[in-house]
Amino acid sequence: MDPHARARDWAEIQERMLVPLYEAVYARLGVGRGTRLLALGCGAGLALVMAAARGARVAGVESACPERLALARERLPDGETRPRLTEGCAPVAEDASYGLITAFQPVGCADGDAEDLTALLREAVPSARKGALVVLTGWGPPECCTTSSVLKVAGKLADPLRGTRGRRAALEDVARRAGLRPEGSGRVACPFGYADADSAVRGLLSTGLFDAAAAATDPVQVAKEITEALQPYVRADGTVWMPNVFRYLIARV
């Protein structure tokens, strides 16, 4: 699939699914004027736009998808306090004054994602002031996440002998490995809702969680199996509705 089209699908279909998570975290932490925020895995920048609308000064890192980063730059145009949006390593502020670091890309569905997040956090922590807060996010229990049954397609096709993913890494373990001190947590309902099954397939493919499956088999077959797995969640009017719960952890530098 064309990477620009997939990035656009992410921005137009999938990214908004986590808006309740962004809102809950920002409200709990009082994000607003005076907040200096660094977003790891900022995607197409929706969470940054929401923080900036509250008055926060924002910066973002997106190393996985430069096409998403380009969209974030479109959403956050030049100004007197232009956001720092970078690809690769976390931007280190000269005065190390970020008071909040967020990692809203949920871990627990792709091999090595917890280790990747740990490494990124270690790079980012020097950019934070002493006592700064860090927010990590992960998928909730499988029984609370109906999308888990669809995500099993990725594991089954990428590695037929194993099928589903292994045990999800605890966010507390990730935080401690990055030298952070866990302080609190919460859960947020983030249902995935789509206009139709085609939109659902495009949105889910845009996450990148099915890339290994597409490489191991046939992308057309991956899309077909996702469509079949979605059938229990297609409503009478053709829309798709999948309730999910995500967990977030608040840690301190």
Side-chain angles (χ1 to χ4, degrees):
M1 182 177 183
D2 177 71
H4 294 282
R6 189 167 76 164
R8 187 67 64 180
D9 283 344
W10 170 263
E12 295 178 355
I13 300 174
Q14 193 64 32
E15 191 174 25
R16 62 184 172 81
M17 303 302 173
L18 295 182
V19 163
L21 174 64
Y22 308 152
E23 291 179 335
V25 169
Y26 291 164
R28 178 167 175 173
L29 300 183
V31 170
R33 296 190 182 278
T35 301
R36 290 203 64 191
L37 184 154
L38 172 62
L40 307 180
C42 68
L46 179 57
L48 289 177
V49 170
M50 292 173 60
R54 287 172 165 262
R57 296 175 60 191
V58 300
V61 179
E62 176 55 59
S63 58
C65 182
E67 292 80 15
R68 290 186 191 177
L69 187 62
L71 293 175
R73 288 181 172 135
E74 291 178 12
R75 284 173 162 173
L76 294 155
D78 293 354
E80 292 183 1
T81 57
R82 174 176 177 167
R84 298 185 63 190
L85 300 173
T86 63
E87 181 179 353
C89 297
V92 178
E94 292 181 2
D95 55 357
S97 59
Y98 290 115
L100 174 61
I101 297 175
T102 60
F104 281 134
Q105 188 66 30
V107 299
C109 280
D111 287 336
D113 59 4
E115 290 75 14
D116 291 343
L117 177 58
T118 301
L120 190 55
L121 287 169
R122 287 171 176 164
E123 292 178 350
V125 165
S127 299
R129 60 176 171 77
K130 185 177 181 180
L133 295 176
V134 180
V135 178
L136 316 180
T137 56
W139 289 78
E143 62 271 18
C144 297
C145 298
T146 55
T147 306
S148 294
S149 61
V150 181
L151 294 177
K152 288 179 181 179
V153 171
K156 181 183 71 173
L157 295 178
D159 187 349
L161 296 179
R162 183 184 60 183
T164 58
R165 300 290 180 187
R167 184 182 68 86
R168 292 173 175 172
L171 295 178
E172 287 80 1
D173 293 340
V174 175
R176 292 189 182 100
R177 289 199 296 267
L180 305 171
R181 183 176 73 249
E183 287 201 348
S185 64
R187 292 188 177 188
V188 182
C190 294
F192 286 9
Y194 305 93
D196 50 41
D198 178 66
S199 295
V201 172
R202 288 167 52 202
L204 291 167
L205 287 174
S206 76
T207 65
L209 294 174
F210 296 87
D211 287 359
T217 57
D218 176 8
V220 174
Q221 181 64 24
V222 174
K224 179 176 181 290
E225 297 214 19
I226 293 174
T227 301
E228 292 176 355
L230 286 170
Q231 290 311 302
Y233 313 111
V234 178
R235 301 192 291 191
D237 61 358
T239 60
V240 178
W241 187 257
M242 294 186 288
N244 299 296
V245 171
F246 288 84
R247 182 170 182 260
Y248 66 87
L249 175 73
I250 300 170
R252 192 174 295 275
V253 174

